Amino acid sequence: MNRRVFLKGIGGVSLAAPFLPSVAEKAAKAQGMTTTPPKRLVIYFTHNGCLTNRWWPKVTTYTNGAATLTADMLKGQTLEPLSPYIAKLTIPRGFRSMNAYGSGQSIDPHDQAVGSKLTCATIDSANKRYATAASLDHVIAKQINPNQASPLVLSVGAASTQIKEVVSFSGPGTAFPATVNPLTVYNQLTGVFGTGGTTGGTGQASYLVKRKQSVLDLCKQDLTRYQALKMSKQDKTLVQTWMDLLRTTETGIVPTASPTSCSKTTAEAAPFTATSANVMAASPTGKITLGSVLGNTPDPVGDANLATSFTKGGDMFLNLIALSMICDSNRMIMMLYPGYVTFNWDGIMHTHEHHGLSHRTGDFTVGGACGVTGVLDMIWQIDKWYAGKYAKLVGLLDSINESNGTLLDNTATMWLPELSDGAAHNLNNLPIVVAGKAGGYLKTGQVVNVEGTGTPQMGNSDMSCANGGNIGNTGSSGGMLPINKLYVTLMNAVGCTATGMPGGGKVTQFGQFDGTGSSGGITNPGEVTKLTSAG
Amino acid sequence: MKSWSMIFFAAATLVGGCVGKVGDPHSGGSSSSGTGNNTGSGSGASSGSGSGASSGTGNAVVSGVGGNAGSSTTVITGAAGAGVTFCDTRGISVTSQVPRLTNAQYDRVIADLLGVQQLKASNNVQPSTILATDQAGGLSDLGWSSYQTVADLIAAQVMGDATLKKNFMKCTPTGDGKTCLHDTIVQFGRKAFRRPLTTDEIARFDKIVSDGPTLTATGTVDEIATLVLYSFLVSPSFLTRAEMTETSDGAGNYQLSSQEVAQRLSFMLWGSIPDDTLNTAADANQLSTPTQILQQAQRMLMSDKARLKIADFHRYYILMGPNTRWDNINKDPALFPTFASALVPTLEAETEKFFDAVAMVKKGTFQDLFLSPTAFVTASTAPLYGLSASGFTTDFKEATLDASRPGFLTRVGFLNAYAFYNRTSPIHRGAFIMKQVLGTPIGTPPPGAEATALPPASADLNTNRKQVDAQTTGGVCESCHHSYINPAGFALESFDAMGVAQTKEKSSGAAIDTASDVVIDGNAVHITGAVDLMNKLAASPMAQHRYAERLTSYLYEREGDAMDCGTVNDLAAKIAPGGYTLQNLISDLTQTPQFRTRAVGAM
């Protein structure tokens, strides 16, 4: 398959970017259908669970396992900042993600929760505990991304290849660590910015185009030498991937359309204000505290950079996510946050790191005495901070108009957690919210019990440690529907097919297994019709 | 992953369950014939479970596919007749021919090649700061885009600085600059690609120059030169440590060219490109015999660049790094009023300086790592060593400690890192020694183990040792902890949580008891205390083998590869008699067939 990638032109030339199509869109175009804006999936990922009973909407009555979401239901709850968007939200109750510690593998609850989260596969304790399959973002990116570009995986905080912070896997055992520097993403985008609809043609533009082609030819011929060697299959694939990247840009092709909104002017204006200076100010220049399950000793430089990363950096990432979508350089985007940092920004002044607080003990020990006075309030501060940023992302996407609605309307923007409750480490009854209807595939404005018609439990996060004492059961029961089905629903929502080709039919399954163990294949295939507008 | 564990224990001294439990066959790949060992992967360093090794980067002892049929084994017999067995397979590992530079290597290469350490136009960050994060899969679009952005910035910075420019162009262009640029292409290209360019390659770069006027804004020589430099920096042959030569070695594998050997040497010993001397030797084909290679290796080991690389190895050996116990030391101010967080980098640095001094400055041996009385002391650590602070300043000063402090395990760095906030941790110290030093696969604690409460001090439990012993009595804990994990830690109870020598338990005044039975080389050996333990560790074949295995894994960039078993045994055998320098061990790794040849196959 021919690939075209939005590369930064030498000297900043813009290769004005038409909506370069996935295979399905090429086919649609060929059939003369109008090109509507593409559909995108955004995953916002946080660690250590939450106070579940404060997180979910307070639904009094489910009718046939669903309820229309109202602002009242969010009042006083963690998701209250999402009130302006209730008509565009779906809150699915009842999913369980894979590989719970003890019933699945018995390596480490967090490593398993993270490694299996988007892969629904086992982790390999002989290979850094990495997952044994590619993750959802890579599977989706291959199908829907222009040029099959890799998913855009971003993280606040320090770069890490440790399993606790790696959710994305480009293949079995191959981690795809997040990019933590807004400047790296911004640099790529500046090569995509259009000139407002004009095509190349001036002498200046043409030297840059020629230059780019000459260098690409040089690089291609370099790789051709490697291709002549008797290499292993894996090496051949690596070389071919690189060659595909190089083959993308072709001189002489006049871009047919340039989304005028994909421009430096747009980037620098409100709401993004992504000027070069602002992006640099949001980007790390030195060491960022990584955060440790052993607790964090103060480090003035690292901690200051961490605070910048969480505040300015994260906010700039939200802007860059929106711009990436506007420029259609990526349709599969993930925004990750680290799990073991001590919150010291935006009015939160903690002395224990998040993971330790989520245990209620203040450190990695499990169970026993509630180790930190006021621990529930501290967890709630963090929960609300994350909800605020998620709401900011949702609001930002909803403020951008596309031809048929807002950018948000053409996405499924999901907040997906590592765990339900951090002390219980339970994976059932996961607190999940999806914003956006993915172009109409999803039915929004509702809280849905995907498991049945009963009333889902709000959980016991608040039951312990309100006034010291010992940590009891902070989890909940029920909510056991395999998350694989949510992923299938989302894959269909953004236009994936079972074969990866147009007309390939709906996706029906995802992952290695969907049982409570860590094997056994897929026993409950299919999407969740209740979440779709057809259901 | 084609690798397998290298140790299993003969049954004799195994208390049923501990190591045996860890020996669960690892799913994923068939186990080979030969030794048939399949030590489970449960020895993983888990930062979440509170076991001794906490870097979270995964364990080195891995099981899986690998090994040739008919592999022999080396057996070391302990005093009581119990055996410890290591695999002994030898072969050429299959390696990638096209590994990309890591971001860390990229920074060093750019610094060495062009003298650029910070990107002036991008907030003065190190170049790799704006590259995509390292990942082992195929190059991503973001990765490719970021290489181009950075190459752009570097080329502009170099050409805009008269001094840096000379790192790229040794001549001064005249007229249309073609002659000088041609010479630059040949000469700079040789360094950048770590091999001479082919005539085709030179012609392609020459064409960029001759097309230059149409490929640049105004066609000046400087602009064209900038373009040439940019083109080098985005070339796959620059970004990849390629091995392309297909000369047969007569044994089914490929013999590396001299230039490829030079590339292996420089990246192994320096983490960067060859220098001019090495390149000259390579071009004169003076890197094909082990003797020739050794000569260069010994020269290169004298460079500061080698010191940095070996320092990195020793951090790997002792699990030092971000997010490890070393980085997260904190002490109760009520019990340890002299502790301050500013001490943490000092504690790490004194450890690093110890290893550097022994390995690189004093040209010491493996045994010296455990026995040397050298220490690097500041005014803040002097009191911890029982020395008067008045002899010291905020800078490190080398000192010779008395006979009670042999080796790195009695330095305050280790003793602080492997202790708790308010007391020592014999479990963590013991687990580190058993696992990281002796290579014993002790496994990870079962679920909830670290939540086991410490029985409170009492008249009967009047020392930390007794409390920990009681904490780990009974149930699933006892077999591993009492026999394997705790004893080595108990031997170090003569040093408190800040590494200060102690003979009495602070809380009760009870005498500290450091006698214990530590399983070394398959036998429970009675140890009287720290000094005795260090002597035994220095002399232990398992400890020697473990160090050799770590060194091989790190320098060959492949952990626990079955094909390297024989090499590891050879190194361990060199260590055993004593008097063999660590530098010689390192250069020995350049002498193996594995170093000069490569194999192709499924990876």
Side-chain angles (χ1 to χ4, degrees):
Chain A
M1 186 181 301
N2 230 11
R3 294 179 54 159
R4 288 177 57 146
V5 171
F6 300 103
L7 298 172
K8 181 185 189 305
I10 299 168
V13 73
S14 54
L15 297 173
F19 279 137
L20 272 179
S22 63
V23 178
E25 286 159 338
K26 262 189 180 146
K29 244 186 161 160
Q31 291 164 36
M33 287 144 73
T34 41
T35 313
T36 51
K39 295 184 267 193
R40 305 88 158 177
L41 177 61
V42 183
I43 299 179
Y44 177 92
F45 180 82
T46 57
H47 286 262
N48 303 320
C50 62
L51 300 179
T52 60
N53 48 297
R54 302 192 200 184
W55 197 92
W56 281 305
K58 293 192 285 222
V59 178
T60 39
T61 317
Y62 284 86
T63 308
N64 293 328
T68 304
L69 184 60
T70 68
D72 262 353
M73 292 176 181
L74 299 184
K75 244 188 164 58
Q77 295 292 85
T78 305
L79 297 184
E80 189 168 357
L82 289 171
S83 304
Y85 315 105
I86 48 176
K88 303 198 173 189
L89 303 179
T90 309
I91 300 184
R93 298 294 319 270
F95 281 119
R96 166 181 58 87
S97 64
M98 294 300 118
N99 205 3
Y101 181 72
S103 52
Q105 295 173 284
S106 292
I107 299 170
D108 179 272
H110 292 278
D111 300 355
Q112 288 169 222
V114 174
S116 302
K117 180 66 55 181
L118 292 176
T119 59
C120 300
T122 51
I123 64 173
D124 186 352
S125 51
N127 180 26
K128 305 187 180 79
R129 303 181 176 185
Y130 287 161
T132 55
S135 53
L136 180 69
D137 52 321
H138 285 269
V139 172
I140 290 179
K142 274 207 174 75
Q143 284 210 33
I144 73 167
N145 255 354
N147 330 302
Q148 299 189 308
S150 302
L152 186 62
V153 180
L154 309 171
S155 181
V156 161
S160 176
T161 53
Q162 296 177 12
I163 179 54
K164 285 176 166 54
E165 307 287 4
V166 173
V167 191
S168 179
F169 294 88
S170 57
T174 307
F176 194 77
T179 295
V180 300
N181 196 329
L183 194 52
T184 307
V185 180
Y186 174 77
N187 284 335
Q188 186 186 31
L189 273 175
T190 56
V192 186
F193 289 152
T195 52
T198 57
T199 61
T202 65
Q204 178 135 13
S206 87
Y207 93 79
L208 287 168
V209 172
K210 283 199 189 104
R211 175 149 112 169
K212 175 161 211 94
Q213 190 59 52
S214 290
V215 174
L216 287 174
D217 284 342
L218 192 77
C219 295
K220 281 193 304 191
Q221 282 158 330
D222 193 349
L223 283 179
T224 307
R225 253 188 102 204
Y226 297 131
Q227 290 187 315
L229 301 173
K230 305 184 202 58
M231 283 185 162
S232 69
K233 189 156 158 273
Q234 288 92 326
D235 274 351
K236 281 197 198 301
T237 306
L238 288 176
V239 174
Q240 189 58 49
T241 303
W242 201 327
M243 187 65 97
D244 287 346
L245 277 178
L246 296 179
R247 284 212 175 105
T248 58
T249 308
E250 299 148 40
T251 54
I253 288 208
V254 171
T256 52
S258 154
T260 54
S261 49
C262 175
S263 69
K264 199 157 182 284
T265 315
T266 302
E268 295 188 345
F272 313 112
T273 62
T275 61
S276 173
N278 283 346
V279 176
M280 278 210 216
S283 302
T285 53
K287 177 188 177 194
I288 306 178
T289 297
L290 180 53
S292 169
V293 70
L294 299 172
N296 300 316
T297 42
D299 169 5
V301 171
D303 293 347
N305 284 330
L306 181 66
T308 303
S309 178
F310 261 79
T311 53
K312 283 199 187 123
D315 286 350
M316 186 52 73
F317 269 141
L318 302 187
N319 293 325
L320 296 172
I321 287 171
L323 287 166
S324 295
M325 289 198 262
I326 288 169
C327 292
D328 202 27
S329 60
N330 219 299
R331 301 174 187 173
M332 177 63 247
I333 300 171
M334 304 226 284
M335 173 72 175
L336 317 179
Y337 285 87
Y340 301 83
V341 296
T342 308
F343 272 67
N344 272 305
W345 45 81
D346 291 343
I348 304 176
M349 291 288 146
H350 290 168
T351 50
H352 295 86
E353 45 82 33
H354 184 193
H355 171 251
L357 291 175
S358 76
H359 275 211
R360 316 298 198 268
T361 55
D363 60 23
F364 58 79
T365 55
V366 173
C370 300
V372 179
T373 311
V375 68
L376 295 183
D377 284 335
M378 292 178 193
I379 297 171
W380 204 28
Q381 282 180 308
I382 294 175
D383 290 351
K384 285 191 287 187
W385 189 91
Y386 279 128
K389 291 298 175 184
Y390 175 73
K392 188 168 187 171
L393 172 62
V394 170
L396 179 64
L397 300 181
D398 205 35
S399 73
I400 298 158
N401 289 322
E402 299 203 294
S403 60
N404 60 349
T406 69
L407 188 47
L408 181 71
D409 294 334
N410 287 318
T411 73
T413 300
M414 170 170 67
W415 181 359
L416 180 69
E418 178 201 6
L419 308 169
S420 294
D421 178 278
H425 293 90
N426 58 318
L427 301 180
N428 61 303
N429 213 1
L430 270 179
I432 297 173
V433 51
V434 181
K437 58 182 176 171
Y441 196 88
L442 300 174
K443 180 158 72 178
T444 57
Q446 50 169 4
V447 186
V448 182
N449 181 354
V450 297
E451 208 182 14
T453 53
T455 302
Q457 290 190 7
M458 296 292 273
N460 300 307
S461 296
D462 258 338
M463 291 297 143
S464 309
C465 304
N467 292 300
N470 283 323
I471 302 160
N473 169 30
T474 55
S476 57
S477 49
M480 295 289 283
L481 196 68
I483 204 170
N484 315 51
K485 295 175 76 72
L486 173 62
Y487 297 157
V488 168
T489 312
L490 293 172
M491 286 179 76
N492 287 328
V494 295
C496 295
T497 66
T499 60
M501 302 299 287
K506 280 198 183 182
V507 178
T508 55
Q509 62 180 66
F510 175 83
Q512 276 177 8
F513 54 85
D514 63 6
T516 52
S518 55
S519 60
I522 300 298
T523 61
N524 187 353
E527 62 180 15
V528 181
T529 321
K530 258 166 122 173
L531 295 175
T532 70
S533 45
Chain B
M1 288 264 288
K2 280 181 24 181
S3 49
W4 49 330
S5 61
M6 298 192 281
I7 305 175
F8 69 77
F9 285 90
T13 54
L14 285 188
V15 178
C18 180
V19 174
K21 193 183 292 180
V22 171
D24 287 335
H26 181 64
S27 64
S30 51
S31 76
S32 80
S33 62
T35 64
N37 50 332
N38 231 346
T39 307
S41 50
S43 51
S46 162
S47 50
S49 58
S51 70
S54 63
S55 66
T57 54
N59 55 325
V61 179
V62 293
S63 62
V65 180
N68 287 324
S71 55
S72 60
T73 62
T74 306
V75 181
I76 293 168
T77 310
V84 170
T85 310
F86 304 122
C87 67
D88 197 29
T89 37
R90 284 168 200 275
I92 313 296
S93 261
V94 174
T95 49
S96 171
Q97 288 174 256
V98 286
R100 289 194 304 276
L101 296 176
T102 63
N103 284 353
Q105 289 165 347
Y106 185 95
D107 283 340
R108 278 195 285 272
V109 170
I110 293 294
D112 287 346
L113 193 58
L114 292 165
V116 171
Q117 269 123 357
Q118 295 174 309
L119 295 176
K120 284 196 168 40
S122 194
N123 250 350
N124 285 323
V125 297
Q126 280 190 300
S128 68
T129 310
I130 50 174
L131 291 178
T133 310
D134 279 336
Q135 50 94 12
L139 186 60
S140 71
D141 51 300
L142 185 65
W144 177 230
S145 150
S146 63
Y147 277 140
Q148 292 175 288
T149 302
V150 173
D152 221 351
L153 293 168
I154 293 171
Q157 186 169 328
V158 166
M159 292 301 297
D161 177 312
T163 317
L164 295 181
K165 207 165 155 179
K166 297 198 189 120
N167 294 329
F168 174 53
M169 294 166 71
K170 302 294 177 203
C171 49
T172 309
T174 54
D176 62 10
K178 277 192 183 152
T179 314
C180 176
L181 283 176
H182 171 86
D183 291 344
T184 300
I185 286 164
V186 174
Q187 194 236 39
F188 180 79
R190 169 67 185 86
K191 288 195 290 203
F193 283 8
R194 284 86 65 188
R195 57 169 174 80
L197 269 55
T198 64
T199 38
D200 283 349
E201 283 175 325
I202 294 169
R204 288 198 282 268
F205 277 93
D206 277 342
K207 183 160 192 302
I208 298 256
V209 173
S210 52
D211 286 349
T214 61
L215 306 180
T216 55
T218 65
T220 65
V221 174
D222 263 8
E223 285 174 312
I224 297 173
T226 309
L227 175 56
V228 171
L229 177 52
Y230 171 86
S231 303
F232 273 116
L233 296 178
V234 297
S235 288
S237 284
F238 170 70
L239 295 169
T240 310
R241 284 186 288 152
E243 292 179 346
M244 302 211 272
T245 309
E246 291 186 321
T247 310
S248 168
D249 72 342
N253 297 305
Y254 294 113
Q255 180 144 341
L256 299 182
S257 68
S258 279
Q259 284 103 9
E260 287 166 350
V261 170
Q263 182 176 233
R264 279 202 181 182
L265 266 176
S266 71
F267 277 93
M268 183 171 110
L269 299 178
W270 289 346
S272 187
I273 53 172
D275 62 358
D276 288 342
T277 309
L278 189 58
N279 279 334
T280 306
D283 290 345
N285 208 17
Q286 297 291 301
L287 282 175
S288 35
T289 69
T291 314
Q292 292 167 333
I293 295 171
L294 184 63
Q295 193 185 7
Q296 289 299 324
Q298 287 172 336
R299 174 186 74 85
M300 294 167 76
L301 277 169
M302 298 200 289
S303 158
D304 274 353
K305 291 194 276 197
R307 282 175 83 172
L308 290 175
K309 198 69 168 36
I310 300 307
D312 203 46
F313 159 68
H314 282 122
R315 279 190 290 271
Y316 168 83
Y317 174 61
I318 62 173
L319 303 182
M320 182 184 280
N323 255 13
T324 63
R325 298 196 69 86
W326 298 88
D327 215 38
N328 287 285
I329 300 168
N330 200 10
K331 303 296 167 188
D332 187 343
L335 297 170
F336 301 103
T338 62
F339 181 84
S341 61
L343 198 55
V344 177
T346 305
L347 294 170
E348 287 182 294
E350 70 132 36
T351 312
E352 292 170 319
K353 289 177 92 68
F354 174 87
F355 279 98
D356 177 64
V358 169
M360 306 307 276
V361 179
K362 299 178 191 294
K363 302 203 189 341
T365 66
F366 167 83
Q367 287 81 357
D368 289 334
L369 295 176
F370 292 85
L371 301 177
S372 167
T374 299
F376 290 86
V377 184
T378 66
S380 51
T381 57
L384 305 178
Y385 285 119
L387 303 171
S388 165
S390 64
F392 298 93
T393 66
T394 47
D395 294 325
F396 284 104
K397 183 164 129 183
E398 186 172 336
T400 305
L401 303 180
D402 67 28
S404 70
R405 297 261 189 184
F408 77 97
L409 290 168
T410 63
R411 295 289 164 274
V412 296
F414 171 75
L415 295 168
N416 267 273
Y418 284 77
F420 287 125
Y421 181 68
N422 52 10
R423 60 186 181 92
T424 65
S425 180
I427 291 175
H428 285 97
R429 290 177 180 174
F432 181 91
I433 287 169
M434 296 313 289
K435 183 151 183 275
Q436 303 305 331
V437 172
L438 285 166
T440 315
I442 55 174
T444 45
E450 64 273 4
T452 311
L454 183 74
S458 66
D460 285 334
L461 304 178
N462 57 359
T463 62
N464 186 46
R465 171 178 180 153
K466 287 180 186 168
Q467 287 173 278
V468 170
D469 187 69
Q471 180 188 28
T472 53
T473 298
V476 298
C477 308
E478 191 166 320
S479 60
C480 290
H481 276 274
H482 283 207
S483 304
Y484 289 89
I485 297 172
N486 298 355
F490 290 156
L492 292 177
E493 277 295 89
S494 48
F495 299 108
D496 73 8
M498 279 195 77
V500 177
Q502 56 177 8
T503 53
K504 292 194 195 306
E505 196 70 45
K506 280 194 241 316
S507 48
S508 66
I512 302 273
D513 171 18
T514 60
S516 64
D517 297 321
V518 181
V519 176
I520 301 177
D521 302 320
N523 281 305
V525 176
H526 187 72
I527 299 288
T528 52
V531 174
D532 192 13
L533 180 59
M534 296 311 139
N535 282 317
K536 299 287 196 310
L537 292 177
S540 154
M542 270 184 69
Q544 293 161 359
H545 187 277
R546 168 70 176 176
Y547 186 86
E549 181 272 322
R550 295 279 82 194
L551 188 67
T552 307
S553 292
Y554 178 85
L555 290 178
Y556 280 177
E557 296 175 81
R558 46 185 187 258
E559 278 201 338
D561 193 305
M563 295 296 119
D564 295 329
C565 286
T567 304
V568 171
N569 291 341
D570 292 346
L571 291 185
K574 297 240 174 83
I575 296 175
Y580 199 80
T581 69
L582 295 173
Q583 295 216 333
N584 281 340
L585 277 182
I586 292 162
S587 56
D588 281 345
L589 284 172
T590 69
Q591 300 294 288
T592 60
Q594 285 83 350
F595 190 75
R596 302 188 295 279
T597 55
R598 67 175 177 86
V600 177
M603 294 192 293

